[in-house]
């Protein structure tokens, strides 16, 4: 049995952030007693979870498998929202994509909260601390002896037959390669190489990369609420488990993720008073912004039929190249391409959303952003079989302005929170998708090497005509409404500046912090695991210096 007293830190949630904070605190403050409480199982010794095809665990035993609320922007359709149900959280089931975002993301974060520690330069040492980069060509930007191996197609020997033509085709559309093909050096507008946090193709889950040797882990256990003492000042004193057991601690750190952290706070009486009263929960701290400004990245997949599948361009063909072991070490694509949209159209969309023309200091205009991430993948994606007849795209909108909510449905911590990302709700988001879908059609079937030599046309979902570069707004909107899915990048539901301060302390409660993606004050144009690792690295330093 876990002791009920004597803990220095209780960390609620053993996901990616929780593991990093626990591991680092055990190093920085070696005498501390640290308890991590995780609702999912401990999979640290489950070797199956490490192999390449572990992406198939979406919807499986290590996925909470949430459903969104019906989405108004999708004509009422509900969306699957995967979330890691294991020690290590999303690192146990994610796609291993390693993308920080751009310098502009973090500099905007720092501007919003008034603290340069959260700028790109402020977070760069912590990004580097996470990385064991695959080459030493840019040591100013990348770590060489960090916790996680970072790999690329070229570093693992995966040279795909369509790689060169794909790069040439993007160049024909005016997209240039980034210096060193590096998407992770502060600028991401352009073409860069895929990066993944794998080691020889194997997944690296957080508790393996950040050992919990001197940490006590209580797995398969729900936290019912945080214990709050209001005499003489409001402070956290520990947690109450779902079974009623109370465990005392000097500090509590909530790292349950953007979906569950707002739920933990509300069940503890910290959140919007009206919501708490609705569920018969005593209000300890009225914090209206808990669960607000929630956002996620939309992803859309497209399948493109090859003119001559016998040439062996795609996975599933008879090409013996794909049977070589190196081609099982990562996702079958070469490049990540980040693109922007025309400024005049963006200004018009902002004006429509906000009711007045934006000034030059508007968040979306002050800095140069990527608005869409574009992948060309050398395989067909569901509902089509992987039979070598198709290649595909994955598109992810990187700077959505649609904002939603996370709230509770009951007082039971085992019940899923109500997740409403409010996808596709703004004119900005619609404009970005329209422009980007036309651009990807121009790449695949326009006047490019791919369009002239490789791709015959799109194989759309039933009920749709194939995508073309001159498709109408109405048609493009209907495609996103039908196909838009979660990229499981939920964030900002306990935003810094609104729910926590720049030291990650929950406003109005002493000895209580949040360390996870819920504190992002903006939608980062990134795959959020790299920023969460860096956030947790810096958080551990901040906490240890108290």
């Amino acid at each position: 049995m876990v002791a009920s007293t004597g803990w220095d830190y209780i960390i609620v949630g053993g996901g990616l952030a929780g593991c990093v904070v626990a591991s680092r605190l055990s190093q920085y403050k070696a005498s501390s007693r640290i308890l991590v409480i995780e609702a999912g199982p401990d999979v640290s010794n489950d070797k199956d979870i490490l192999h390449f095809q572990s992406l198939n665990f979406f919807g499986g035993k290590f996925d909470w498998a949430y459903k969104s609320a019906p989405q108004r922007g999708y004509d009422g359709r509900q969306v699957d929202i995967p979330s890691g149900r294991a020690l290590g959280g999303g690192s146990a089931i994610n796609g291993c994509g390693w993308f920080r975002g751009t310098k502009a993301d973090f500099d905007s974060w720092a501007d919003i909260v008034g603290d340069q520690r959260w700028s790109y330069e402020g977070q760069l040492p912590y990004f580097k601390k996470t990385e064991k980069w695959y080459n030493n060509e840019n040591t100013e930007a990348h770590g060489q002896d960090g916790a996680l191996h970072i790999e690329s197609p070229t570093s693992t020997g995966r040279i795909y037959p369509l790689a060169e033509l794909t790069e040439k085709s993007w160049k024909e559309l005016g997209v240039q390669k980034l210096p060193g093909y590096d998407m992770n050096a502060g600028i991401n507008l352009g073409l860069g190489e895929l990066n993944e946090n794998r080691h020889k193709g194997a997944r690296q889950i957080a508790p393996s990369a950040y050992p919990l040797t001197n940490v006590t882990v209580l797995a398969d256990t729900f936290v019912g609420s945080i214990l709050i003492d209001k005499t003489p000042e409001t402070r956290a004193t520990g947690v109450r488990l779902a079974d009623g057991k109370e465990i005392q601690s000097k500090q509590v750190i909530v790292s349950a993720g953007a979906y569950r952290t707002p739920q933990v706070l509300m069940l503890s009486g910290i959140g919007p008073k009206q919501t708490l009263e609705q569920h018969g929960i005593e209000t300890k701290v009225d914090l209206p912004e808990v669960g607000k400004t929630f956002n996620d990245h939309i992803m859309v997949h497209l399948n493109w039929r090859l003119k001559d599948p016998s040439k062996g361009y795609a996975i599933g063909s008879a090409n013996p190249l794909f049977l070589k072991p190196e081609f099982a070490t990562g996702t079958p694509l070469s490049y990540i391409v980040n693109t922007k949209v025309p400024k005049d159209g963006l200004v018009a969309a902002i004006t429509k959303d906000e009711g007045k023309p934006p000034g030059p200091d508007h968040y979306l205009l002050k800095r140069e952003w990527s608005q869409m991430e574009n992948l060309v993948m050398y395989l067909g994606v569901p509902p089509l079989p992987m039979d070598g007849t198709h290649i595909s795209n994955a598109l992810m909108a990187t700077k959505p302005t649609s904002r939603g909510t996370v709230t509770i449905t009951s007082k039971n911590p085992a019940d899923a929170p109500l997740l409403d990302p409010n996808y596709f709700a703004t004119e900005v988001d619609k404009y970005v998708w329209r422009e980007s879908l036309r651009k990807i059609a121009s790449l695949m079937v326009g006047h490019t090497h791919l369009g002239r030599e490789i791709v015959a046309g799109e194989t759309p979902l039933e009920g749709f005509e194939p995508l073309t570069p001159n498709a109408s707004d109405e048609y493009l909107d209907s495609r996103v409404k039908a196909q838009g899915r979660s990229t499981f990048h939920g964030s900002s539901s306990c935003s810094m500046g609104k729910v926590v301060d720049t030291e990650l302390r929950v406003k109005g409660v002493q000895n209580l912090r949040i360390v996870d993606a819920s504190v992002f004050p903006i939608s980062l144009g990134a795959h959020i695991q790299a920023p969460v690792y860096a956030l947790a690295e810096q958080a551990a330093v901040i906490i240890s210096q108290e």
Side-chain angles (χ1 to χ4, degrees):
M1 286 291 290
V2 168
S4 59
T5 59
W7 300 101
D8 295 294
Y9 302 99
I10 290 178
I11 299 174
V12 180
L16 188 159
C19 287
V20 174
V21 172
S23 180
R24 290 302 191 200
L25 284 177
S26 73
Q27 296 172 38
Y28 301 155
K29 303 186 78 172
S31 63
S32 295
R33 295 190 65 206
I34 303 168
L35 173 64
V36 173
I37 306 175
E38 166 56 39
D42 183 350
V43 297
S44 304
N45 297 314
D46 188 330
K47 301 304 181 188
D48 288 343
I49 209 166
L50 303 180
H51 65 79
F52 173 63
Q53 292 299 332
S54 61
L55 193 63
N56 295 340
F57 287 154
F58 289 147
K61 60 183 178 178
F62 302 130
D63 181 6
W64 287 109
Y66 298 128
K67 283 270 190 190
S68 75
Q71 295 298 286
R72 286 174 296 172
Y74 289 170
D75 296 333
R77 182 166 63 92
Q78 288 183 280
V79 175
D80 292 324
I81 301 182
S83 180
R85 183 185 164 275
L87 188 67
S91 70
I93 67 167
N94 66 20
C96 299
W98 190 260
F99 305 106
R100 294 175 183 174
T102 180
K103 182 179 186 295
D105 280 311
F106 300 96
D107 289 351
S108 289
W109 176 342
D111 285 354
I112 289 168
V113 303
D115 189 331
Q116 289 304 303
R117 287 180 298 181
W118 303 105
S119 69
Y120 185 74
E121 289 304 317
Q123 298 211 68
L124 182 57
Y126 302 102
F127 277 118
K128 292 172 71 173
K129 197 173 176 66
T130 67
E131 293 176 344
K132 195 180 264 95
W133 200 253
Y134 58 89
N135 64 40
N136 59 3
E137 293 174 7
N138 189 354
T139 55
E140 288 187 9
H142 296 297
Q144 305 297 312
D145 55 3
L148 295 157
H149 291 267
I150 311 298
E151 298 181 335
S152 74
T154 55
S155 77
T156 55
R158 293 171 8 243
I159 309 301
Y160 293 93
L162 284 180
E164 185 177 355
L165 284 183
T166 299
E167 181 177 356
K168 286 181 177 179
S169 296
W170 277 115
K171 190 172 183 179
E172 287 173 297
L173 293 186
V175 174
Q176 302 299 317
K177 76 177 182 70
L178 290 160
Y181 292 94
D182 192 346
M183 186 66 65
N184 282 295
I187 298 172
N188 67 357
L189 266 173
L191 179 143
E193 198 174 13
L194 168 70
N195 296 141
E196 297 178 289
N197 62 322
R198 298 182 182 275
H199 183 40
K200 298 178 181 177
R203 175 184 299 281
Q204 299 169 96
I205 62 172
S208 298
Y210 287 82
L212 301 176
T213 312
N214 298 314
V215 174
T216 301
V217 175
L218 185 59
D220 297 300
T221 303
F222 278 100
V223 168
S225 62
I226 300 158
L227 296 173
I228 303 294
D229 186 351
K230 298 194 75 172
T231 54
E233 296 175 320
T234 304
R235 60 193 176 94
T237 61
V239 300
R240 180 180 293 108
L241 304 182
D243 64 6
K245 178 178 178 176
E246 295 187 356
I247 307 175
Q248 306 292 323
S249 178
K250 293 176 183 176
Q251 291 199 47
V252 177
I253 301 164
V254 184
S255 297
Y259 311 140
R260 289 281 187 174
T261 286
Q263 180 188 35
V264 171
L265 263 60
M266 290 184 209
L267 294 179
S268 309
I270 304 166
K273 186 176 183 179
Q274 185 178 1
T275 301
L276 303 180
E277 289 177 344
Q278 213 175 350
H279 292 278
I281 299 169
E282 179 190 349
T283 301
K284 304 288 180 64
V285 180
D286 183 11
L287 262 183
E289 293 297 326
V290 171
K292 303 295 195 298
T293 67
F294 173 55
N295 63 83
D296 186 16
H297 297 135
I298 295 174
M299 180 169 279
V300 169
H301 286 109
L302 306 168
N303 280 301
W304 300 91
R305 191 174 71 260
L306 295 170
K307 290 181 176 180
D308 186 355
S310 70
K311 290 190 174 180
Y313 293 132
I315 305 291
S317 70
N319 191 338
L321 178 74
F322 298 131
L323 298 177
K324 292 184 176 182
E326 59 265 34
F327 285 89
T329 61
T331 307
L333 61 102
S334 303
Y335 304 114
I336 307 293
V337 172
N338 278 300
T339 53
K340 59 183 179 179
V341 297
K343 187 174 180 180
D344 56 349
L346 182 60
V347 168
I350 295 170
T351 302
K352 189 169 182 180
D353 281 334
E354 300 182 4
K356 61 180 181 180
D361 283 342
H362 188 281
Y363 164 63
L364 290 174
L365 304 176
K366 184 178 179 180
R367 294 180 170 93
E368 194 169 50
W369 303 102
S370 155
Q371 272 104 12
M372 186 64 64
E373 177 188 277
N374 306 263
L375 314 182
V376 176
M377 302 191 294
Y378 310 126
L379 79 174
V381 295
L384 298 186
M386 195 171 62
D387 60 5
T389 63
H390 286 75
I391 59 176
S392 60
N393 300 131
L395 278 73
M396 183 187 88
T398 53
K399 299 301 292 183
T401 58
S402 299
R403 294 292 181 267
T405 58
V406 177
T407 192
I408 54 176
T409 58
S410 77
K411 294 166 73 171
N412 184 349
D415 289 345
L418 181 63
L419 307 178
D420 183 5
N422 195 27
Y423 293 124
F424 210 50
T426 64
E427 191 63 27
V428 166
D429 289 358
K430 291 171 185 174
Y431 173 69
V432 167
W433 273 104
R434 293 166 189 160
E435 290 294 313
S436 300
L437 286 167
R438 290 185 182 115
K439 181 165 236 170
I440 202 72
S442 296
L443 177 82
M444 303 304 288
V445 293
H447 301 296
T448 66
H449 282 282
L450 287 175
R452 291 187 298 268
E453 303 167 28
I454 305 299
V455 176
E458 193 210 3
T459 301
L461 292 182
E462 188 175 348
F464 289 102
E465 293 296 314
L467 177 63
T468 64
N470 59 357
S472 70
D473 287 355
E474 293 75 18
Y475 168 85
L476 297 170
D477 289 353
S478 71
R479 290 295 300 266
V480 178
K481 288 180 179 183
Q483 292 180 245
R485 52 174 287 184
S486 170
T487 318
F488 33 99
H489 291 169
S491 72
S492 309
S493 51
C494 291
S495 291
M496 186 179 289
K498 296 179 178 179
V499 176
V500 299
D501 64 14
T502 60
E503 299 267 328
L504 302 161
R505 298 174 296 207
V506 174
K507 293 188 173 186
V509 188
Q510 295 181 8
N511 306 330
L512 179 62
R513 279 185 162 94
I514 299 174
V515 183
D516 58 35
S518 71
V519 305
F520 293 170
I522 62 172
S523 178
L524 292 176
H527 290 233
I528 65 171
Q529 73 155 337
V532 170
Y533 272 112
L535 165 77
E537 284 276 17
Q538 179 154 207
V541 171
I542 290 170
I543 295 166
S544 69
Q545 290 176 345
E546 274 198 338

